[in-house]
Amino acid sequence: MSRIRSAVTAVDRRSFLAAAGAVGLSAGIGAAVGSGGGPGSASAAPAPTASGPATTAAPTPTPTPTGPSAGLTTLESLATPRAGNATFRRLGDGPGWRRVVREQFASAKSGREDRRTVLSSFVQLTDLHVTDVQHPVRTEYVRSESSGAWRPHEALSVAGGVSLIERINALGTGPATGAPLAFAMTTGDNTDNNSLCELDWYLTLMSGGLVTPNSGDPQAYEGVQNSGMRMYWHPEDGAPDADKRLGYPRIEGFLEAALRPVRSPGLALPWYSTVGNHDSLASGAYSDRTGFLAEFAVGTRKLYDIPDPDAVALLARISGGETADGGALISLLRREKRRMRTVTADPRRAPFTPLQYLTAHLDSAHTGAGPVGHGYTKDNLAQATLDYTFPMGENVTGVSLDTTDHGGHFTGSVGTGQLRWLERILKEHRDGYVVLFTHHNSWTMGNKRPDPARPGEARHDGNEVVALLRKHRSAVAWINGHSHRNVVLPHGSFWEISTASHIDFPQLARVVEIADNKDGTLSLFTTLIESAAPRETDFTDLSQSGLASLYRELALNAPGSRQDLAGLKDARNTELLLRRR
């Protein structure tokens, strides 16, 4: 059996996962090796630039919250590892994170809380990674060379997602201003492996209904967690494995419970959707131009283990960005047929196209609290685009932009046509405010492979997007995900707000409130929230709520996972000041 390396390798986990799908392909193979970014995990944010120092201002006292959201955010408390030296850490209640006022662009003037009017109040969810853990294209087997390349808790992503939705529904108002929340926005990697069944599960979670997170054999689990291969956590037997050696428990009935139907109330707020690389590419990174991976996805064979040298080679190809067309993975699958096991074929595991993604969002069965299409319209269908605008509040316009490189890879970019379209929107709303929503952040937009649908069009990186936004004073914020880590950066005239994922601990979402202080400044309040799941985990409670609680504690202990995904104090609960135009 392949050995497990406890240390994270030089390959960024997000990059690895995104391409390999190991990390749930959070960001793409990228998250595979580092836990939290890459195409699937947490990439490091750039150092502060001349646009302003990204230093933490002295925390200011947080007023005692009142109203419906009181006690429901990380201002008051959050799930925190209990004190002790146990290998497997347990969670309990811990102190909250105070709000930090950041004044890089404008000074905070006294009395502003009595003068301000609220322009927009909403919730951002990102990197849910709703996961079919039995999908044949997943690359769990590279875990032999990177312990963070497979998440032991991924089978509970649906239960965890429902619990987050329950918390959002309970909020009602913004915790800083008390204004009613107007909508929610997901900023991509809603699914994990560009699979039709994952897309259906995600849309049902968001709009409400019953989700059965199982594919293949309707009566049996056919993934790695009962394979007998000891580099994976086997929750239902007492034999040692890589994770039990780290304190992971034996939980009788875990796999059966993980595949049980889960009921989602759906978001009570209108919600909008932005696409990520895991929603567009196989494993978040492969363009699959030959169709081999699409055929393999719906077939009867699955690979569970590979020789160590092959895992090393695949990781190297992924980290070097040489896997955009899926060639390295396809070659591996072609030559490892003898190692594969038989699984139940399922056409629902087929990858979905951008057209199918749009059509599914426009399906009335998934309207939920609305709006129809969740931002996407029939014009998107006709023009084959995944970009749109929508009203966010008084004189505030939201822009959802697809930053996926459809030519392959977990990093992102935008085409010339998209950049020109964004510039037109900024000019049209020069007398108002514009908020940009994307999946990738500025420092993970460096891939410029041509879009197969537009081979002659140039691609543009994050620096070019920043430069464009800085030219237009209407731009106040760029909100994104992808790196699975909380980061807030000043860019001269606007704030870039990147939020941690809901697949990797601490599993957060973010409330954003935009207010005019009536003194020449705007305040952008950001407040992080957790799911509604109990923080105290009972390994015998396999109810829907118990599984959501277990999801969080297993994520805390995931081998190879990064421990800095909560970000710095000034990237959590904040008040971000801007000069009003």
Side-chain angles (χ1 to χ4, degrees):
M1 175 59 62
S2 302
R3 64 191 181 284
I4 300 289
R5 292 185 179 176
S6 59
V8 176
T9 68
V11 183
D12 175 271
R13 176 173 190 265
R14 181 179 193 86
S15 308
F16 160 71
L17 289 178
V23 136
L25 308 173
S26 330
I29 287 300
V33 177
S35 173
S41 54
S43 304
T49 64
S51 61
T55 56
T56 303
T60 58
T62 301
T64 301
T66 59
S69 64
L72 299 179
T73 77
T74 60
L75 286 167
E76 296 79 40
S77 67
L78 62 143
T80 304
R82 302 178 200 166
N85 298 318
T87 304
F88 187 89
R89 293 173 295 166
R90 307 306 304 277
L91 285 170
D93 295 335
W97 293 320
R98 292 191 296 174
R99 194 177 302 284
V100 174
V101 179
R102 296 186 60 171
E103 302 177 85
Q104 280 95 331
F105 299 145
S107 297
K109 300 177 182 179
S110 61
R112 63 193 183 283
E113 63 275 5
D114 298 321
R115 295 187 299 267
R116 66 172 55 111
T117 59
V118 180
L119 304 180
S120 187
S121 180
F122 60 94
V123 181
Q124 178 208 7
L125 306 81
T126 194
D127 297 84
L128 287 170
H129 286 277
V130 173
T131 305
D132 173 11
V133 293
Q134 301 171 90
H135 198 285
V137 176
R138 286 170 60 80
T139 56
E140 300 102 331
Y141 37 78
V142 294
R143 198 188 200 214
S144 66
E145 292 301 313
S146 171
S147 59
W150 171 77
R151 301 181 180 99
H153 58 282
E154 289 175 328
L156 304 181
S157 64
V158 171
V162 170
S163 188
L164 178 61
I165 287 170
E166 291 171 341
R167 173 50 49 87
I168 294 170
N169 288 346
L171 285 174
T173 64
T177 67
L181 295 172
F183 67 91
M185 165 63 85
T186 71
T187 51
D189 282 4
N190 309 304
T191 65
D192 188 65
N193 205 39
N194 178 231
S195 162
L196 283 171
C197 62
E198 291 176 345
L199 178 60
D200 180 68
W201 300 347
Y202 155 67
L203 290 171
T204 304
L205 276 180
M206 299 290 284
S207 57
L210 196 67
V211 178
T212 302
N214 187 20
S215 66
D217 188 337
Q219 305 300 323
Y221 171 84
E222 297 178 312
V224 299
Q225 289 188 267
N226 65 356
S227 65
M229 296 178 176
R230 295 300 157 183
M231 66 175 165
Y232 307 114
W233 176 47
H234 284 55
E236 297 188 4
D237 66 42
D241 57 46
D243 298 288
K244 290 199 190 81
R245 292 189 183 98
L246 298 176
Y248 266 70
R250 178 182 180 183
I251 304 178
E252 190 67 33
F254 176 90
L255 294 176
E256 179 184 356
L259 302 183
R260 282 200 309 254
V262 175
R263 183 164 295 280
S264 173
L267 280 169
L269 299 171
W271 59 274
Y272 296 85
S273 188
T274 294
V275 68
N277 53 293
H278 275 267
D279 303 314
S280 300
L281 301 169
S283 291
Y286 303 134
S287 64
D288 190 25
R289 296 168 197 170
T290 66
F292 176 91
L293 296 178
E295 183 177 354
F296 193 83
V298 301
T300 61
R301 306 295 286 169
K302 180 173 172 61
L303 185 60
Y304 293 72
D305 187 28
I306 59 176
D308 288 350
D310 286 344
V312 171
L314 182 58
L315 285 172
R317 296 288 298 277
I318 289 168
S319 63
E322 302 174 12
T323 58
D325 62 357
L329 178 58
I330 291 170
S331 295
L332 174 70
L333 294 175
R334 288 187 187 279
R335 70 173 180 268
E336 291 291 349
K337 291 182 179 179
R338 292 184 179 180
R339 291 180 180 270
M340 294 179 183
R341 299 187 183 186
T342 300
V343 296
T344 305
D346 193 334
R348 298 177 304 151
R349 291 172 173 157
F352 54 85
T353 65
L355 179 62
Q356 288 172 311
Y357 181 82
L358 290 169
T359 301
H361 278 75
L362 288 161
D363 188 337
S364 60
H366 295 137
T367 297
V372 174
H374 305 291
Y376 301 113
T377 67
K378 292 182 179 178
D379 286 341
N380 289 110
L381 279 175
Q383 299 168 17
T385 63
L386 292 167
D387 310 318
Y388 63 88
T389 65
F390 67 103
M392 291 178 54
E394 183 181 352
N395 214 22
V396 184
T397 298
V399 178
S400 175
L401 196 66
D402 174 20
T403 54
T404 300
D405 274 301
H406 293 272
H409 208 266
F410 48 83
T411 56
S413 64
V414 293
T416 299
Q418 290 178 289
L419 203 64
R420 289 174 178 169
W421 175 79
L422 176 59
E423 184 169 25
R424 289 197 299 272
I425 298 301
L426 291 165
K427 289 179 178 178
E428 289 171 6
H429 296 278
R430 61 174 61 88
D431 296 325
Y433 302 107
V434 174
V435 176
L436 175 63
F437 295 92
T438 67
H439 177 62
H440 293 87
N441 37 51
S442 61
W443 61 95
T444 57
M445 290 179 62
N447 179 27
K448 297 186 177 183
R449 286 177 173 81
D451 184 340
R454 299 173 176 83
E457 184 182 50
R459 304 290 294 181
H460 304 270
D461 63 20
N463 291 330
E464 293 173 274
V465 176
V466 168
L468 174 60
L469 295 176
R470 290 187 63 171
K471 286 171 54 180
H472 297 273
R473 302 294 294 183
S474 55
V476 295
W478 179 4
I479 297 176
N480 50 52
H482 186 70
S483 286
H484 294 208
R485 184 172 186 261
N486 292 314
V487 177
V488 176
L489 295 176
H491 286 300
S493 59
F494 71 93
W495 292 96
E496 181 175 6
I497 302 167
S498 191
T499 300
S501 72
H502 202 250
I503 188 72
D504 291 313
F505 189 83
Q507 297 174 319
L508 302 169
R510 197 189 293 264
V511 179
V512 180
E513 301 163 82
I514 305 174
D516 184 342
N517 294 319
K518 301 298 183 181
D519 60 8
T521 67
L522 298 180
S523 285
L524 280 65
F525 294 95
T526 76
T527 309
L528 294 164
I529 58 173
E530 302 175 303
S531 78
R535 292 165 183 164
E536 303 284 338
T537 304
D538 181 348
F539 295 146
T540 66
D541 180 5
L542 299 182
S543 66
Q544 182 170 314
S545 175
L547 292 176
S549 183
L550 185 58
Y551 180 62
R552 180 158 51 195
E553 193 159 88
L554 294 176
L556 167 69
N557 289 279
S561 61
R562 287 182 56 171
Q563 302 302 305
D564 63 346
L565 301 184
L568 301 176
K569 291 179 181 179
D570 65 355
R572 302 173 190 170
N573 299 329
T574 69
E575 180 183 1
L576 311 173
L577 275 295
L578 275 177
R579 291 188 183 88
R580 188 173 179 272
R581 291 176 303 95

